[in-house]
Amino acid sequence: MSRVTLSRYLIEQTRSNNTPADLRFLIEVVARACKEISHAVSKGALGGVLGSMGTENVQGEVQKKLDVLSNEILLEANEWGGHLAGMASEEMDNAYQIPGKYPKGAYLLVFDPLDGSSNIDINAPVGTIFSVLRCPNEYLSQNEALNEKAFLQPGTEQVAAGYAIYGPQTMLVLTLGDGVKGFTLDREMGSFVLTHEDISIPASTQEFAINMSNQRHWEAPVQRYVNELMEGEEGPLKKNFNMRWVAAMVADVHRILTRGGLFMYPRDSREPSKPGKLRLMYEANPMSFLVEQAGGASTDGHQRILDIQPEGLHQRVAVFLGSKEEVERVTAYHKQ
Ligand SMILES: O=P(O)(O)OC[C@H]1O[C@](O)(COP(=O)(O)O)[C@@H](O)[C@@H]1O
Ligand SMILES: [Mg+2]
Ligand SMILES: [Mg+2]
């Protein structure tokens, strides 16, 4: 059986005019950085990468050594690729312009360098999430210095999105807006190999994911819906549900892309100024793009996540994504 590597797949996409060459190179560079992060993650205590930095990011969360290292790996790899105008990350307060007086490359890269960082020290799955946008013309043609505003585009504008999951296997899951492909890292070859040709999410499911410890803070529609899930066959949904929570969005979404399910991180009453925990630009948008491309759905309970006009780089959003029937049901409960 001939093996299709990520590079070969991307070349074919460019040949058939689906993917511009500069976007192809950009994805290659991101994939190379993910390989490096995978290597660092797998070294664990041997590489001295476990534990905290003793610093906080812009959201007041303690940064792990691997959060910072992964951010540096992505920055360094992409800085000189020539295809980017700028980058933004969970671990950087502000947008980062590629060195040079004015933006040059055509794209913007937004990422969560290490997702699920509370899993690092317990040897459980973590990942990297990324989203690619076009740099708006005014920054390219009028030689304007790049700022946060350039990034504030709804998720429908993404030209590519994906994640790497560092679990028992390292995988890269990618969409270029034409379905979802999964590539597994062959460590001996050093290449990502296409192993999951057409990833699709079944419309119905009997599995959900939510952090139940926040139950008392949820809004009424989510209380009602999760109570119904828990009632199983005896309740109005008339079927039993199983529950999973990996505490890394990458791993929970990967499970849903593999066998279906519903992932929820609702807004709650603790900090009304922060709707939910997850970040729109580098968690919810890329994952929603992937999920929709795989035939699933994604909303914030009220509207399609990809339609939300972002107001800040680190904006938070409630997330309900996965198998269509259940996303539609919980979204409908918000409207009643
Ligand atoms: O602490 P909780 O409620 O389990 O939250 C888990 C969620 O937080 C996150 O870990 C946030 O990601 P980061 O590790 O990138 O901050 C999600 O991946 C995950 O779904
Ligand atoms: Mg994250
Ligand atoms: Mg993170």
Side-chain angles (χ1 to χ4, degrees):
M1 191 184 76
S2 78
R3 305 196 337 156
V4 177
T5 60
L6 174 67
S7 303
R8 164 65 66 87
Y9 166 73
L10 291 170
I11 288 169
E12 290 304 325
Q13 292 300 304
T14 302
R15 280 207 186 120
S16 51
N17 286 333
N18 289 335
T19 306
D22 53 352
L23 178 58
R24 160 158 72 94
F25 289 125
L26 166 52
I27 303 290
E28 292 258 25
V29 175
V30 171
R32 204 176 313 139
C34 290
K35 269 189 253 175
E36 209 179 312
I37 297 171
S38 167
H39 189 67
V41 167
S42 69
K43 287 244 165 197
L46 297 175
V49 293
L50 303 186
S52 295
M53 285 293 285
T55 51
E56 285 185 355
N57 65 16
V58 64
Q59 4 234 340
E61 297 160 343
V62 173
Q63 290 179 303
K64 301 274 188 177
K65 286 184 194 164
L66 267 172
D67 285 323
V68 174
L69 181 66
S70 307
N71 194 58
E72 281 167 4
I73 289 173
L74 279 156
L75 283 182
E76 269 179 41
N78 286 286
E79 201 166 52
W80 303 110
H83 315 295
L84 279 179
M87 293 183 256
S89 153
E90 179 188 4
E91 304 304 335
M92 300 189 296
D93 298 10
N94 302 310
Y96 176 83
Q97 183 178 324
I98 300 297
K101 205 164 174 203
Y102 302 115
K104 294 273 182 337
Y107 296 102
L108 302 171
L109 180 67
V110 193
F111 49 85
D112 175 354
L114 205 80
D115 176 64
S117 35
S118 70
N119 278 354
I120 295 167
D121 296 345
I122 60 162
N123 199 1
V126 290
T128 296
I129 310 173
F130 63 92
S131 157
V132 183
L133 296 159
R134 283 195 191 85
C135 184
N137 267 342
E138 61 262 35
Y139 296 93
L140 301 173
S141 55
Q142 295 170 18
N143 284 344
E144 264 192 57
L146 196 72
N147 59 41
E148 171 169 339
K149 262 187 14 211
F151 291 81
L152 302 182
Q153 308 175 37
T156 45
E157 296 300 312
Q158 294 172 103
V159 293
Y163 61 79
I165 177 165
Y166 315 116
Q169 305 108 44
T170 286
M171 283 189 69
L172 187 91
V173 176
L174 175 71
T175 183
L176 300 168
D178 184 21
V180 181
K181 308 276 178 206
F183 302 83
T184 304
L185 181 62
D186 181 328
R187 290 183 194 277
E188 283 74 45
M189 273 174 69
S191 323
F192 281 106
V193 178
L194 182 61
T195 46
H196 297 63
E197 182 67 57
D198 274 311
I199 294 181
S200 71
I201 301 176
S204 60
T205 183
Q206 290 182 233
E207 197 162 68
F208 71 99
I210 193 165
N211 184 340
M212 288 293 294
S213 69
N214 297 326
Q215 184 169 23
R216 67 194 181 284
H217 306 294
W218 299 336
E219 295 175 335
V222 181
Q223 298 278 4
R224 171 188 168 194
Y225 178 67
V226 175
N227 281 339
E228 290 182 3
L229 293 174
M230 306 284 277
E231 283 173 81
E233 267 175 4
E234 290 84 53
L237 306 186
K238 302 206 175 339
K239 54 181 181 178
N240 294 326
F241 282 80
N242 192 12
M243 201 201 84
R244 288 285 185 271
W245 186 251
V246 190
M249 189 192 198
V250 158
D252 280 310
V253 170
H254 189 69
R255 185 186 59 255
I256 288 169
L257 287 169
T258 307
R259 67 181 189 207
L262 171 68
F263 172 89
M264 295 176 274
Y265 215 118
R267 80 192 73 236
D268 65 41
S269 57
R270 281 172 297 177
E271 283 187 83
S273 64
K274 291 183 183 167
K277 179 177 186 190
L278 300 176
R279 278 53 60 103
L280 175 62
M281 301 285 303
Y282 41 81
E283 291 178 320
N285 269 345
M287 292 311 205
S288 299
F289 191 18
L290 286 162
V291 163
E292 285 198 5
Q293 284 294 317
S298 176
T299 76
D300 70 349
H302 298 275
Q303 64 169 324
R304 186 182 174 215
I305 285 187
L306 293 181
D307 285 335
I308 296 173
Q309 172 59 51
E311 286 165 6
L313 270 184
H314 302 287
Q315 175 175 341
R316 292 174 193 246
V317 67
V319 175
F320 301 87
L321 63 75
S323 293
K324 239 182 190 163
E325 284 175 14
E326 295 310 320
V327 175
E328 283 170 3
R329 194 191 313 274
V330 67
T331 305
Y333 285 12
H334 283 79
K335 297 191 171 125
Q336 287 168 14

